[in-house]
Amino acid sequence: MSDKLDMTPMYAMHDALRRELEHLAKVTVRLDDPRRVLRAAVGWELFRKSLHVHHTAEDDALWPALRRTLADRPDDLALLEAMEAEHAGVDQLIEAIDAQLADPEAPLNGLGDLVDSLVTGLSGHLRHEEAQALPLIQAVATPQQWAHFGQVHGQRIGPDAPRLLPWLLEGASDETVATMLAPLPEPARAAFTAQWRPAYAALDRWGAA
């Protein structure tokens, strides 16, 4: 298997999602009523939005291209189907948590159970993708297909970049930050350092204040 594709953006997103799952789990267990915090938590908003961008970009721009390449490989096609099914399962859990947060009469233990399921389900999906789907992508996707996925992903972040990019790169290595910022125009890189990252750092994302 060659390393023709730079997987830095994929692993950066996975690391960020795992980081936020830890925050979400802590909020759920340390507060008597985490619903009050999560309803207004910037962290929950950024997590949902980033996850939605990532999964829909894969579903719309990556898996369809790979299906055409893998048309005569049923086992690999089944893996892509599993990726989409896992996305759908995570989406259902996100929707169920939002419904709990919107319902003041919902039982508190229901939220805890849903968050546990989300942590388990999304963590399992990320492991599955890294163990099987990413090596398959590296082996068969063309640089053009990978670049198209990256373009779609970036377009869907769009005007949310000032918040989502610092979110994505929180705690990332200097090498990862440099790789992720390199395609941006110089004014955006300067804004990331001078404005976006400091503004993000000042946020109370999970009600810690």
Side-chain angles (χ1 to χ4, degrees):
M1 182 179 69
S2 69
D3 291 330
K4 62 185 177 182
L5 307 177
D6 184 358
M7 292 283 177
T8 299
M10 187 71 79
Y11 283 105
M13 177 60 74
H14 285 198
D15 289 345
L17 291 171
R18 288 187 173 106
R19 179 196 71 224
E20 298 303 288
L21 285 175
E22 290 183 8
H23 284 298
L24 182 60
K26 288 176 182 177
V27 167
T28 306
V29 300
R30 73 177 170 84
L31 298 176
D32 292 335
D33 187 359
R35 292 172 299 189
R36 178 183 56 80
V37 170
L38 290 181
R39 286 187 189 110
V42 177
W44 177 241
E45 174 194 350
L46 294 174
F47 171 80
R48 285 184 312 163
K49 187 170 293 185
S50 299
L51 181 64
H52 179 74
V53 165
H54 184 60
H55 280 180
T56 59
E58 287 182 337
D59 290 344
D60 297 342
L62 187 54
W63 309 142
L66 294 183
R67 278 198 184 89
R68 293 190 290 271
T69 302
L70 300 169
D72 60 347
R73 294 167 58 171
D75 290 345
D76 291 333
L77 290 175
L79 174 61
L80 301 185
E81 293 291 339
M83 291 294 105
E84 289 192 322
E86 289 169 13
H87 287 182
V90 169
D91 287 345
Q92 290 173 358
L93 289 168
I94 296 285
E95 292 170 3
I97 291 172
D98 280 337
Q100 284 271 330
L101 297 179
D103 182 3
E105 304 301 322
L108 185 57
N109 63 342
L111 178 63
D113 291 343
L114 287 170
V115 169
D116 287 345
S117 295
L118 176 62
V119 171
T120 300
L122 182 53
S123 297
H125 167 67
L126 297 177
R127 288 194 301 270
H128 189 191
E129 187 168 276
E130 289 170 357
Q132 297 190 32
L134 297 194
L136 178 64
I137 294 166
Q138 186 66 263
V140 305
T142 66
Q144 293 76 20
Q145 289 169 334
W146 186 242
H148 175 65
F149 164 65
Q151 290 165 359
V152 170
H153 202 291
Q155 288 167 357
R156 294 187 181 184
I157 290 175
D160 292 317
R163 271 191 165 185
L164 295 191
L165 194 55
W167 175 92
L168 175 64
L169 295 175
E170 180 190 342
S173 68
D174 292 343
E175 181 180 3
T176 295
V177 172
T179 298
M180 296 296 292
L181 296 183
L184 300 181
E186 174 55 32
R189 293 198 299 272
F192 175 86
T193 301
Q195 301 170 23
W196 301 354
R197 186 176 246 180
Y200 171 80
L203 292 174
D204 178 17
R205 292 183 296 118
W206 294 104

